[in-house]
Amino acid sequence: LRRIPSSYFHRTSPIGQVFDAYGRRGLLDRVAVIGLGAGTLAAYGEPGRSMQFYEIDPAVIRIARDPSLFTFVSDSRSALSFTTGDGRLEVAKAADGSFGLIVVDAFSSDAIPVHLLTREAFAIYLSKLKPGGIVALNITNENLDLAPIVDALTADGNLAGLVQENNVESEAQLLEGKDYSQWAVIAKDRASLAPIEQSGRWTSIPSQPGRTPDPRYVWTDDYSSIFTVAARW
């Protein structure tokens, strides 16, 4: 199982669907990932694809690259590079139009890095996309429902988006380590989402197109409040 992406990143998960659909279209020759963890997304490496990981903790990079601990990085078939630092600040340094996919994978557990989920952050991500590119956000969270924040920011920026909750559907998936996950994807226009939207597994956002979003949910660098977010318990 060492080359099979597990947990939130299983090949049948929303992010697996993204890699499958967009990889076949040749859009994923350059991928950026904010948040390394065990390096599971490196399992989606393919020849000719480069993956740039941004990780704030150098110890995490050292652990993920140690094949005696985790093998996703060492076994990857992509050219991998690693940048230590805050993901948003480091992505901002990339040339505009650099990536076909940006994965923001830093919202799990109790601590939400709010500065990665604001109007200004979205503007940075979108400026770094190639034409037709998308941003995928892992909004799986044990405590808070972050989907309304992404919905509001999508409406606020006149963007197109999709969201999907995905469960373990078979014993085989369970044995491969798959977990429940929730992902959102955003793009500059609806046409960019066609490769996955047509599957029927995603829900379109913003949920109320054309309406001004509730300002309580439009997080910015100057305003955010987890008290407006519904608890999962």
Side-chain angles (χ1 to χ4, degrees):
L1 302 177
R2 62 186 286 162
R3 294 180 179 85
I4 295 177
S6 57
S7 189
Y8 312 133
F9 315 103
H10 192 267
R11 293 196 183 277
T12 62
S13 72
I15 192 63
Q17 297 166 33
V18 166
F19 272 98
D20 179 57
Y22 288 87
R24 286 185 275 114
R25 292 170 175 258
L27 189 65
L28 305 186
D29 58 325
R30 291 198 68 199
V31 175
V33 182
I34 296 177
L36 175 61
T40 312
L41 284 172
Y44 286 100
E46 298 287 348
R49 174 178 296 166
S50 68
M51 302 183 75
Q52 170 69 59
F53 288 90
Y54 298 95
E55 171 56 52
I56 199 167
D57 189 343
V60 172
I61 298 176
R62 176 179 55 79
I63 291 168
R65 298 181 73 175
D66 185 343
S68 70
L69 300 173
F70 296 101
T71 57
F72 297 115
V73 167
S74 59
D75 285 357
S76 182
R77 298 190 296 169
S78 276
L80 308 182
S81 53
F82 305 88
T83 297
T84 303
D86 179 90
R88 172 175 160 177
L89 297 179
E90 296 301 329
V91 165
K93 298 175 184 177
D96 290 352
S98 291
F99 304 108
L101 169 65
I102 298 174
V103 182
V104 185
D105 178 34
F107 302 125
S108 295
S109 191
D110 301 335
I112 301 170
V114 169
H115 72 296
L116 299 180
L117 197 62
T118 66
R119 174 193 288 159
E120 293 82 0
F122 275 31
I124 291 171
Y125 306 148
L126 292 165
S127 71
K128 307 306 173 183
L129 292 178
K130 296 179 179 181
I134 66 170
V135 179
L137 303 109
N138 183 1
I139 56 173
T140 311
N141 194 284
E142 295 180 357
N143 300 294
L144 301 173
D145 181 8
L146 298 176
I149 305 301
V150 180
D151 184 289
L153 288 169
T154 303
D156 175 72
N158 194 29
L159 306 171
L162 299 168
V163 65
Q164 181 184 154
E165 291 188 78
N166 188 270
N167 289 293
V168 178
E169 299 168 329
S170 69
E171 184 177 357
Q173 293 176 6
L174 186 64
L175 291 173
E176 290 178 346
K178 181 181 179 180
D179 289 319
Y180 160 87
S181 66
Q182 184 180 32
W183 288 80
V185 295
I186 59 171
K188 297 176 184 178
D189 54 70
R190 183 65 54 184
S192 298
L193 301 176
I196 53 174
E197 188 169 27
Q198 60 192 11
S199 72
R201 304 188 68 178
W202 298 79
T203 299
S204 178
I205 54 175
S207 54
Q208 297 180 315
R211 290 197 179 185
T212 301
D214 187 329
R216 295 177 302 167
Y217 295 95
V218 181
W219 287 0
T220 70
D221 287 353
D222 296 318
Y223 162 80
S224 63
S225 173
I226 64 168
F227 295 107
T228 64
V229 183
R232 288 195 174 277
W233 34 265

